[in-house]
């Protein structure tokens, strides 16, 4: 999630509630996180995944 997410202790009910309430009470923060999320998602593509996977396979074969 990088800068497009809010993080909290997943075993703390209070931390989860505080984070969710903070997001629900702040429309501008929600919009900002949504914009950051779209920008972050744009960094990823299936072509990049394929290229990086191929690179790992090639380096593994060369090491054998």
């Amino acid at each position: 999630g990088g800068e497009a997410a809010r993080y909290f202790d997943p075993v703390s009910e209070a931390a989860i509630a505080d984070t969710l309430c903070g997001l629900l009470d702040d429309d501008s923060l929600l919009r900002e996180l949504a914009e950051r999320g779209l920008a972050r998602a744009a960094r990823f593509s299936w072509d990049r995944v394929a290229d990086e996977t191929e690179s790992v396979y090639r380096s593994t074969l060369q090491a054998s």
Side-chain angles (χ1 to χ4, degrees), residues 7-62:
Y7 298 93
F8 50 84
D9 180 351
V11 297
S12 169
E13 292 176 13
I16 295 168
D18 287 345
T19 301
L20 290 176
C21 287
L23 291 171
L24 293 172
D25 291 340
D26 191 339
D27 289 340
S28 65
L29 177 59
L30 284 177
R31 280 191 297 278
E32 181 181 333
L33 292 176
E35 290 173 10
R36 289 179 184 178
L38 291 173
R40 183 164 176 79
R43 296 175 42 206
F44 301 95
S45 74
W46 285 112
D47 288 337
R48 182 175 169 200
V49 170
D51 290 343
E52 290 181 12
T53 300
E54 179 185 13
S55 175
V56 169
Y57 288 162
R58 290 187 184 281
S59 66
T60 301
L61 288 172
Q62 290 173 356

